[in-house]
Amino acid sequence: MKRLSFMLSVLLIAAVAAPAQRHKLTSINAETPEGQLLQSIGTEQDPAKKLELMEKFAAQYPKHEAAGWVLSQMQQAYINSGNIDKALSTGEALLAMDPDDTDTAYANLKAAEKKQDPDAILKWSTATSNAARKTAGGSKPADMDEATWKQMVDYAKQVDTYTEYALSAAVLQTSDPNKIVMLTEALEQRNPNSQYLAQALSKFAAAARQANQLDKATALGDRALARNQTNDDLLLLMADTALNRKQPDRVIVYTTKLIELSSSQTKPQGISDADWQKKRDTTLGLAYWMQGITLAGQNKFAQADKSLRAALPLI
């Protein structure tokens, strides 16, 4: 179900078009040099030459009323041609003109995804979310009908949800453990109940161990546990950390929840029966073992014996 929900959200946001183009070209005065240049842009069929004309207009007439329209066309042209850095800088220029422009921020987010740059994805997912939430939480303009306003708000909400997906996808695609921790924390801060957070937690747990950021892992894990967002890989890390730090009460809490979770989980898609059984047995075995030696240290020998006996056939 999670995988289906994940893909449906991606398809949904890809299929939804912005309800209205923010930067429009309303009229052209063909008797002026800038108007003639705009006419040439409109009639030019060759993409490279068209882009060259737009660059010329942006450089010569940065304050013209059509500058926003030209820059928005340039941003998309740069994305289409794969010139991601210029697409991002053009988006920056557009947002300097209109900081609440959700479409431009979203286009920069898509460009950052193409570049596979975790820092840029975080930056532009944040900017896009801020702009989208401002629109969704705002008031209907007096000159806008209810149907158009509803469409605009729905679009903004879907774009905001996409920013969560973008962070989660970046976690799965990134190999730098510090970036994985950064992106996962940003996703949780963006929406603690995000449908995409659970998909990031396993990789987050491994990254936090690799980056020696165990305090951050435990803190996020405790918050997730309080929201009933349990994850076996993260719980295992938390229990192991608590064991090494001689925190027996935490070990018992984490291993008890880990045993409960591992015993009730169903095999996810994309993993073989043998691999799933091996992972499940290893996780359960370690949980029972950590629980058993902790209980023994508390002189709870009968309970410790029960846990250690459960661990034996699994480890």
Side-chain angles (χ1 to χ4, degrees), residues 156-204:
K157 289 179 178 179
Q158 291 176 61
V159 168
D160 190 27
T161 299
Y162 184 87
T163 69
E164 299 170 20
Y165 160 74
L167 290 174
S168 177
V171 167
L172 300 180
Q173 294 166 1
T174 302
S175 58
D176 185 328
N178 289 297
K179 301 294 186 187
I180 292 168
V181 171
M182 173 189 74
L183 291 165
T184 307
E185 288 182 321
L187 175 56
E188 186 206 20
Q189 186 177 14
R190 177 82 43 81
N191 181 5
N193 297 307
S194 174
Q195 62 182 308
Y196 301 116
L197 182 57
Q199 299 171 85
L201 290 181
S202 290
K203 195 164 183 184
F204 168 77

Short mmCIF file of all heavy atoms in Angstrom, two decimals, residues 156-204:
data_model
loop_
_atom_site.label_atom_id
_atom_site.label_comp_id
_atom_site.label_asym_id
_atom_site.label_seq_id
_atom_site.Cartn_x
_atom_site.Cartn_y
_atom_site.Cartn_z
N ALA A 156 -1.88 24.06 -4.81
CA ALA A 156 -0.84 24.44 -3.85
C ALA A 156 -0.63 23.33 -2.82
O ALA A 156 0.52 23.01 -2.46
CB ALA A 156 -1.22 25.74 -3.15
N LYS A 157 -1.70 22.72 -2.37
CA LYS A 157 -1.59 21.63 -1.38
C LYS A 157 -0.88 20.42 -1.98
O LYS A 157 -0.07 19.76 -1.31
CB LYS A 157 -2.97 21.24 -0.87
CG LYS A 157 -3.61 22.29 0.03
CD LYS A 157 -4.99 21.86 0.48
CE LYS A 157 -5.60 22.90 1.43
NZ LYS A 157 -6.97 22.51 1.86
N GLN A 158 -1.18 20.11 -3.24
CA GLN A 158 -0.53 18.97 -3.89
C GLN A 158 0.96 19.25 -4.13
O GLN A 158 1.80 18.36 -3.98
CB GLN A 158 -1.24 18.66 -5.20
CG GLN A 158 -2.64 18.09 -4.99
CD GLN A 158 -3.37 17.88 -6.29
OE1 GLN A 158 -2.93 17.11 -7.14
NE2 GLN A 158 -4.49 18.55 -6.47
N VAL A 159 1.27 20.48 -4.49
CA VAL A 159 2.68 20.86 -4.65
C VAL A 159 3.41 20.73 -3.32
O VAL A 159 4.55 20.24 -3.26
CB VAL A 159 2.81 22.28 -5.21
CG1 VAL A 159 4.23 22.79 -5.10
CG2 VAL A 159 2.36 22.33 -6.67
N ASP A 160 2.77 21.16 -2.24
CA ASP A 160 3.38 21.05 -0.92
C ASP A 160 3.65 19.59 -0.57
O ASP A 160 4.72 19.25 -0.04
CB ASP A 160 2.45 21.69 0.12
CG ASP A 160 3.12 21.84 1.47
OD1 ASP A 160 4.36 21.95 1.53
OD2 ASP A 160 2.41 21.85 2.49
N THR A 161 2.71 18.72 -0.87
CA THR A 161 2.92 17.29 -0.62
C THR A 161 4.07 16.76 -1.46
O THR A 161 4.86 15.92 -1.00
CB THR A 161 1.63 16.50 -0.94
OG1 THR A 161 0.58 16.95 -0.08
CG2 THR A 161 1.83 15.00 -0.73
N TYR A 162 4.19 17.25 -2.68
CA TYR A 162 5.29 16.81 -3.53
C TYR A 162 6.64 17.17 -2.93
O TYR A 162 7.61 16.43 -3.09
CB TYR A 162 5.18 17.41 -4.94
CG TYR A 162 6.26 16.89 -5.86
CD1 TYR A 162 6.06 15.71 -6.57
CD2 TYR A 162 7.48 17.54 -5.99
CE1 TYR A 162 7.06 15.20 -7.38
CE2 TYR A 162 8.48 17.04 -6.80
CZ TYR A 162 8.26 15.87 -7.49
OH TYR A 162 9.27 15.36 -8.28
N THR A 163 6.72 18.30 -2.24
CA THR A 163 8.00 18.67 -1.62
C THR A 163 8.44 17.64 -0.60
O THR A 163 9.63 17.41 -0.40
CB THR A 163 7.93 20.06 -0.97
OG1 THR A 163 7.10 20.04 0.20
CG2 THR A 163 7.42 21.11 -1.93
N GLU A 164 7.48 16.99 0.07
CA GLU A 164 7.81 15.92 1.01
C GLU A 164 8.35 14.71 0.26
O GLU A 164 9.35 14.09 0.67
CB GLU A 164 6.57 15.53 1.81
CG GLU A 164 5.98 16.65 2.66
CD GLU A 164 4.63 16.29 3.24
OE1 GLU A 164 4.31 15.08 3.32
OE2 GLU A 164 3.87 17.22 3.61
N TYR A 165 7.68 14.36 -0.83
CA TYR A 165 8.17 13.25 -1.66
C TYR A 165 9.59 13.52 -2.16
O TYR A 165 10.44 12.63 -2.17
CB TYR A 165 7.24 13.03 -2.85
CG TYR A 165 7.91 12.27 -3.97
CD1 TYR A 165 8.15 10.92 -3.86
CD2 TYR A 165 8.34 12.94 -5.12
CE1 TYR A 165 8.81 10.23 -4.88
CE2 TYR A 165 9.00 12.26 -6.13
CZ TYR A 165 9.21 10.91 -6.01
OH TYR A 165 9.88 10.24 -7.01
N ALA A 166 9.84 14.78 -2.57
CA ALA A 166 11.16 15.13 -3.11
C ALA A 166 12.26 14.90 -2.07
O ALA A 166 13.34 14.40 -2.39
CB ALA A 166 11.17 16.59 -3.57
N LEU A 167 11.99 15.24 -0.81
CA LEU A 167 12.97 15.01 0.25
C LEU A 167 13.18 13.51 0.48
O LEU A 167 14.31 13.04 0.61
CB LEU A 167 12.50 15.67 1.55
CG LEU A 167 12.52 17.20 1.58
CD1 LEU A 167 11.89 17.71 2.87
CD2 LEU A 167 13.93 17.74 1.45
N SER A 168 12.08 12.76 0.51
CA SER A 168 12.18 11.31 0.72
C SER A 168 12.94 10.64 -0.42
O SER A 168 13.80 9.78 -0.20
CB SER A 168 10.78 10.70 0.84
OG SER A 168 10.84 9.30 0.97
N ALA A 169 12.63 11.04 -1.65
CA ALA A 169 13.32 10.47 -2.81
C ALA A 169 14.80 10.79 -2.78
O ALA A 169 15.65 9.96 -3.12
CB ALA A 169 12.69 10.98 -4.10
N ALA A 170 15.14 12.02 -2.34
CA ALA A 170 16.54 12.40 -2.24
C ALA A 170 17.27 11.56 -1.21
O ALA A 170 18.44 11.20 -1.39
CB ALA A 170 16.66 13.89 -1.91
N VAL A 171 16.59 11.24 -0.11
CA VAL A 171 17.18 10.35 0.91
C VAL A 171 17.54 9.01 0.29
O VAL A 171 18.64 8.48 0.48
CB VAL A 171 16.20 10.14 2.09
CG1 VAL A 171 16.67 8.99 2.97
CG2 VAL A 171 16.08 11.41 2.91
N LEU A 172 16.63 8.45 -0.50
CA LEU A 172 16.85 7.14 -1.09
C LEU A 172 17.93 7.15 -2.16
O LEU A 172 18.58 6.13 -2.41
CB LEU A 172 15.54 6.61 -1.68
CG LEU A 172 14.38 6.45 -0.68
CD1 LEU A 172 13.14 5.93 -1.39
CD2 LEU A 172 14.76 5.54 0.47
N GLN A 173 18.15 8.31 -2.79
CA GLN A 173 19.11 8.40 -3.89
C GLN A 173 20.50 8.85 -3.45
O GLN A 173 21.46 8.71 -4.20
CB GLN A 173 18.58 9.39 -4.95
CG GLN A 173 17.31 8.91 -5.64
CD GLN A 173 16.61 10.01 -6.42
OE1 GLN A 173 17.08 11.15 -6.47
NE2 GLN A 173 15.48 9.69 -7.03
N THR A 174 20.60 9.39 -2.23
CA THR A 174 21.85 9.98 -1.77
C THR A 174 22.69 8.94 -1.03
O THR A 174 22.16 8.11 -0.31
CB THR A 174 21.55 11.17 -0.83
OG1 THR A 174 20.77 12.12 -1.55
CG2 THR A 174 22.82 11.85 -0.37
N SER A 175 24.01 9.02 -1.21
CA SER A 175 24.91 8.11 -0.50
C SER A 175 25.63 8.77 0.67
O SER A 175 26.15 8.08 1.55
CB SER A 175 25.95 7.55 -1.48
OG SER A 175 26.70 8.59 -2.08
N ASP A 176 25.66 10.09 0.72
CA ASP A 176 26.34 10.81 1.79
C ASP A 176 25.52 10.70 3.08
O ASP A 176 24.40 11.21 3.16
CB ASP A 176 26.50 12.28 1.41
CG ASP A 176 27.29 13.10 2.41
OD1 ASP A 176 27.22 12.79 3.62
OD2 ASP A 176 27.98 14.05 2.00
N PRO A 177 26.05 10.05 4.13
CA PRO A 177 25.25 9.83 5.35
C PRO A 177 24.83 11.12 6.03
O PRO A 177 23.72 11.20 6.58
CB PRO A 177 26.18 8.99 6.24
CG PRO A 177 27.55 9.20 5.71
CD PRO A 177 27.39 9.42 4.24
N ASN A 178 25.67 12.13 6.02
CA ASN A 178 25.30 13.40 6.65
C ASN A 178 24.16 14.08 5.91
O ASN A 178 23.28 14.70 6.53
CB ASN A 178 26.52 14.34 6.70
CG ASN A 178 27.56 13.87 7.70
OD1 ASN A 178 27.31 13.79 8.90
ND2 ASN A 178 28.73 13.53 7.20
N LYS A 179 24.15 13.96 4.58
CA LYS A 179 23.05 14.53 3.79
C LYS A 179 21.75 13.76 4.06
O LYS A 179 20.67 14.35 4.11
CB LYS A 179 23.38 14.48 2.30
CG LYS A 179 24.64 15.20 1.90
CD LYS A 179 24.56 16.69 2.10
CE LYS A 179 25.81 17.38 1.54
NZ LYS A 179 25.84 18.82 1.86
N ILE A 180 21.86 12.45 4.22
CA ILE A 180 20.67 11.63 4.50
C ILE A 180 20.05 12.05 5.82
O ILE A 180 18.83 12.19 5.93
CB ILE A 180 21.05 10.13 4.51
CG1 ILE A 180 21.44 9.68 3.10
CG2 ILE A 180 19.90 9.29 5.05
CD1 ILE A 180 22.09 8.32 3.05
N VAL A 181 20.88 12.23 6.84
CA VAL A 181 20.39 12.69 8.14
C VAL A 181 19.73 14.06 8.00
O VAL A 181 18.63 14.30 8.51
CB VAL A 181 21.53 12.73 9.16
CG1 VAL A 181 21.08 13.40 10.46
CG2 VAL A 181 22.04 11.32 9.45
N MET A 182 20.39 14.96 7.29
CA MET A 182 19.87 16.32 7.09
C MET A 182 18.51 16.31 6.41
O MET A 182 17.56 16.98 6.84
CB MET A 182 20.87 17.13 6.26
CG MET A 182 20.38 18.51 5.84
SD MET A 182 21.51 19.30 4.63
CE MET A 182 21.12 18.34 3.13
N LEU A 183 18.38 15.54 5.34
CA LEU A 183 17.14 15.50 4.56
C LEU A 183 16.01 14.86 5.36
O LEU A 183 14.86 15.31 5.29
CB LEU A 183 17.37 14.73 3.26
CG LEU A 183 18.27 15.42 2.23
CD1 LEU A 183 18.71 14.42 1.16
CD2 LEU A 183 17.57 16.60 1.58
N THR A 184 16.32 13.80 6.11
CA THR A 184 15.28 13.13 6.90
C THR A 184 14.77 14.03 8.00
O THR A 184 13.56 14.10 8.26
CB THR A 184 15.81 11.82 7.49
OG1 THR A 184 16.37 11.00 6.46
CG2 THR A 184 14.70 11.05 8.18
N GLU A 185 15.68 14.73 8.66
CA GLU A 185 15.25 15.68 9.69
C GLU A 185 14.39 16.79 9.09
O GLU A 185 13.40 17.22 9.70
CB GLU A 185 16.47 16.27 10.39
CG GLU A 185 17.20 15.30 11.31
CD GLU A 185 18.37 15.93 12.03
OE1 GLU A 185 19.08 16.75 11.41
OE2 GLU A 185 18.57 15.62 13.21
N ALA A 186 14.77 17.25 7.90
CA ALA A 186 13.98 18.30 7.23
C ALA A 186 12.59 17.78 6.88
O ALA A 186 11.59 18.51 7.01
CB ALA A 186 14.71 18.77 5.98
N LEU A 187 12.50 16.54 6.44
CA LEU A 187 11.20 15.95 6.10
C LEU A 187 10.32 15.85 7.33
O LEU A 187 9.13 16.19 7.29
CB LEU A 187 11.41 14.58 5.47
CG LEU A 187 10.16 13.77 5.17
CD1 LEU A 187 9.20 14.54 4.27
CD2 LEU A 187 10.52 12.43 4.52
N GLU A 188 10.90 15.41 8.44
CA GLU A 188 10.12 15.31 9.67
C GLU A 188 9.64 16.69 10.13
O GLU A 188 8.51 16.86 10.57
CB GLU A 188 10.94 14.66 10.78
CG GLU A 188 10.10 14.40 12.03
CD GLU A 188 10.91 14.35 13.31
OE1 GLU A 188 12.04 14.87 13.33
OE2 GLU A 188 10.39 13.84 14.31
N GLN A 189 10.52 17.68 10.01
CA GLN A 189 10.15 19.04 10.39
C GLN A 189 9.06 19.59 9.47
O GLN A 189 8.14 20.28 9.93
CB GLN A 189 11.37 19.95 10.36
CG GLN A 189 11.10 21.36 10.88
CD GLN A 189 12.35 22.22 10.89
OE1 GLN A 189 13.36 21.87 10.30
NE2 GLN A 189 12.29 23.35 11.57
N ARG A 190 9.15 19.27 8.19
CA ARG A 190 8.15 19.74 7.23
C ARG A 190 6.77 19.18 7.57
O ARG A 190 5.78 19.90 7.57
CB ARG A 190 8.57 19.28 5.82
CG ARG A 190 7.61 19.62 4.68
CD ARG A 190 7.79 21.03 4.17
NE ARG A 190 9.17 21.41 4.04
CZ ARG A 190 9.97 21.09 2.99
NH1 ARG A 190 9.47 20.39 1.98
NH2 ARG A 190 11.21 21.52 2.94
N ASN A 191 6.72 17.89 7.84
CA ASN A 191 5.45 17.25 8.18
C ASN A 191 5.72 15.97 8.97
O ASN A 191 6.05 14.95 8.38
CB ASN A 191 4.64 16.93 6.92
CG ASN A 191 3.29 16.29 7.24
OD1 ASN A 191 2.90 16.17 8.40
ND2 ASN A 191 2.58 15.88 6.21
N PRO A 192 5.60 16.02 10.29
CA PRO A 192 5.88 14.84 11.11
C PRO A 192 5.04 13.62 10.75
O PRO A 192 5.45 12.49 11.00
CB PRO A 192 5.58 15.31 12.54
CG PRO A 192 5.66 16.80 12.49
CD PRO A 192 5.21 17.18 11.11
N ASN A 193 3.88 13.86 10.15
CA ASN A 193 2.99 12.76 9.78
C ASN A 193 3.03 12.46 8.28
O ASN A 193 2.11 11.83 7.75
CB ASN A 193 1.55 13.08 10.20
CG ASN A 193 1.42 13.22 11.71
OD1 ASN A 193 1.81 12.34 12.46
ND2 ASN A 193 0.87 14.35 12.16
N SER A 194 4.09 12.88 7.63
CA SER A 194 4.19 12.66 6.18
C SER A 194 4.14 11.17 5.84
O SER A 194 4.77 10.34 6.51
CB SER A 194 5.50 13.25 5.66
OG SER A 194 5.68 12.92 4.29
N GLN A 195 3.41 10.86 4.79
CA GLN A 195 3.34 9.47 4.33
C GLN A 195 4.69 8.98 3.82
O GLN A 195 4.90 7.78 3.66
CB GLN A 195 2.31 9.35 3.22
CG GLN A 195 2.63 10.19 1.98
CD GLN A 195 1.58 10.10 0.90
OE1 GLN A 195 1.19 9.00 0.48
NE2 GLN A 195 1.07 11.25 0.46
N TYR A 196 5.62 9.90 3.55
CA TYR A 196 6.91 9.53 2.98
C TYR A 196 8.01 9.38 4.03
O TYR A 196 9.10 8.92 3.70
CB TYR A 196 7.33 10.59 1.96
CG TYR A 196 6.35 10.73 0.83
CD1 TYR A 196 5.67 11.93 0.64
CD2 TYR A 196 6.08 9.67 -0.02
CE1 TYR A 196 4.74 12.07 -0.39
CE2 TYR A 196 5.15 9.80 -1.05
CZ TYR A 196 4.49 10.99 -1.23
OH TYR A 196 3.58 11.12 -2.24
N LEU A 197 7.73 9.74 5.28
CA LEU A 197 8.77 9.68 6.30
C LEU A 197 9.19 8.24 6.60
O LEU A 197 10.38 7.95 6.74
CB LEU A 197 8.30 10.38 7.58
CG LEU A 197 9.31 10.44 8.73
CD1 LEU A 197 10.60 11.14 8.29
CD2 LEU A 197 8.70 11.17 9.94
N ALA A 198 8.21 7.35 6.70
CA ALA A 198 8.52 5.96 7.05
C ALA A 198 9.48 5.33 6.04
O ALA A 198 10.34 4.51 6.40
CB ALA A 198 7.23 5.14 7.13
N GLN A 199 9.36 5.73 4.77
CA GLN A 199 10.21 5.16 3.73
C GLN A 199 11.67 5.61 3.85
O GLN A 199 12.56 4.99 3.28
CB GLN A 199 9.65 5.54 2.36
CG GLN A 199 8.24 5.01 2.15
CD GLN A 199 7.60 5.55 0.89
OE1 GLN A 199 7.79 5.01 -0.18
NE2 GLN A 199 6.81 6.60 1.02
N ALA A 200 11.89 6.70 4.58
CA ALA A 200 13.24 7.22 4.73
C ALA A 200 13.95 6.70 5.97
O ALA A 200 15.17 6.81 6.08
CB ALA A 200 13.20 8.75 4.77
N LEU A 201 13.20 6.14 6.92
CA LEU A 201 13.77 5.86 8.23
C LEU A 201 14.81 4.75 8.23
O LEU A 201 15.78 4.81 8.99
CB LEU A 201 12.65 5.52 9.23
CG LEU A 201 11.76 6.71 9.62
CD1 LEU A 201 10.71 6.28 10.63
CD2 LEU A 201 12.59 7.87 10.17
N SER A 202 14.65 3.73 7.38
CA SER A 202 15.64 2.66 7.36
C SER A 202 17.00 3.18 6.90
O SER A 202 18.03 2.89 7.52
CB SER A 202 15.19 1.52 6.45
OG SER A 202 14.10 0.83 7.02
N LYS A 203 17.00 3.96 5.84
CA LYS A 203 18.27 4.51 5.35
C LYS A 203 18.80 5.55 6.33
O LYS A 203 20.03 5.67 6.51
CB LYS A 203 18.09 5.11 3.97
CG LYS A 203 19.43 5.37 3.27
CD LYS A 203 19.28 5.60 1.78
CE LYS A 203 20.66 5.78 1.13
NZ LYS A 203 20.55 6.09 -0.30
N PHE A 204 17.91 6.27 6.98
CA PHE A 204 18.32 7.24 8.00
C PHE A 204 19.05 6.53 9.13
O PHE A 204 20.09 7.02 9.62
CB PHE A 204 17.09 7.97 8.53
CG PHE A 204 17.35 8.77 9.78
CD1 PHE A 204 17.99 9.99 9.72
CD2 PHE A 204 16.92 8.30 11.02
CE1 PHE A 204 18.23 10.73 10.88
CE2 PHE A 204 17.15 9.03 12.17
CZ PHE A 204 17.80 10.25 12.10
#
